[in-house]
């Protein structure tokens, strides 16, 4: 008969064990997308179209003091372009982006959807001129909560759950 062994507790000072409040490891260099609305982390990751082999950590429904629940994306050795940051802001308004170098935050700011933008989304109206003329979609934000944009060409309103990214 196999005897149960006594479980040992982890050493609070061990560098291998996360602190009780630390849910994910630190990033040496790259980008952190924090305070993403819960459930939007994977969608944000999909629109970034990162190079193959990029190391990514995704946290889903993590505990947040200010938001209750949140998602988190850490991307090693990669910094977002302005267009990529704008796409993330359209998916998760009020997220934050941090640039990390040598384990230190060297830049941090909130993301907010642009008021007007071009080339980030495709219009969902199949009759819109953008589909026949092969021109970039152009939109203006109608409402921030819920996030709704309007196509400048056909004037169709599109909600965030309907966004098709270019």
């Amino acid at each position: 008969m196999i005897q149960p062994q006594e479980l040992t507790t982890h050493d609070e000072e061990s560098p291998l064990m996360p602190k009780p409040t630390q849910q994910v490891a630190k990033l040496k260099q790259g980008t952190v997308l924090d305070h993403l609305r819960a459930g939007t982390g994977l969608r944000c990751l999909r629109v970034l179209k990162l190079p193959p082999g990029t190391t990514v950590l995704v946290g889903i429904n993590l505990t947040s003091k200010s938001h209750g629940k949140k998602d988190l994306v850490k991307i090693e050795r990669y910094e977002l372009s302005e267009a990529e940051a704008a796409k993330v802001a359209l998916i998760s308004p009020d997220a934050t982006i941090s640039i990390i170098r040598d384990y230190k935050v060297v830049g941090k700011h909130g993301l907010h959807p642009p008021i007007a933008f071009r080339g980030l989304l495709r219009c969902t109206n199949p009759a819109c001129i953008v589909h026949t003329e092969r021109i970039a979609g152009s939109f203006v934000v109608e409402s921030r909560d819920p996030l709704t944009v309007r196509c400048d060409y056909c004037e169709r309103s599109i909600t965030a759950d309907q966004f098709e990214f270019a």
Side-chain angles (χ1 to χ4, degrees):
M1 181 169 151
I2 299 175
Q3 296 295 321
Q5 295 180 354
E6 185 177 323
L7 296 175
T8 58
T9 59
H10 72 275
D11 179 2
E12 294 292 332
E13 298 300 316
S14 171
L16 300 177
M17 296 299 295
K19 294 179 183 176
T21 58
Q22 182 183 351
Q23 294 181 318
V24 293
K26 288 185 175 186
L27 186 65
K28 181 177 181 179
Q29 180 177 328
T31 301
V32 177
L33 301 173
D34 199 359
H35 304 292
L36 297 168
R37 290 184 179 174
T40 65
L42 292 175
R43 187 167 186 209
C44 289
L45 192 57
R46 275 193 302 272
V47 303
L48 295 177
K49 299 177 183 170
L50 299 171
T54 303
T55 301
V56 176
L57 181 140
V58 179
I60 306 282
N61 287 323
L62 300 174
T63 302
S64 168
K65 291 178 187 174
S66 58
H67 294 85
K69 293 288 184 182
K70 68 176 182 177
D71 286 3
L72 173 85
V73 176
K74 291 185 172 191
I75 310 165
E76 191 173 1
R77 294 189 302 270
Y78 189 85
E79 292 186 17
L80 273 59
S81 68
E82 286 187 37
E84 289 171 322
K87 287 180 181 182
V88 171
L90 289 168
I91 295 170
S92 187
D94 305 320
T96 58
I97 183 171
S98 299
I99 305 301
I100 310 297
R101 294 195 186 115
D102 293 321
Y103 298 104
K104 293 186 173 126
V105 177
V106 296
K108 182 175 183 174
H109 63 277
L111 295 178
H112 305 288
I115 296 168
F117 54 92
R118 183 176 179 86
L120 298 178
L121 297 177
R122 287 187 288 273
C123 184
T124 58
N125 179 0
C128 184
I129 193 170
V130 300
H131 299 290
T132 57
E133 298 296 322
R134 305 274 186 205
I135 55 177
S138 181
F139 297 87
V140 64
V141 173
E142 285 186 322
S143 166
R144 276 187 50 84
D145 195 15
L147 185 59
T148 306
V149 300
R150 186 183 72 248
C151 176
D152 287 336
Y153 301 111
C154 71
E155 298 189 357
R156 174 174 278 193
S157 293
I158 305 169
T159 57
D161 61 326
Q162 301 170 319
F163 289 170
E164 292 179 11
F165 289 90

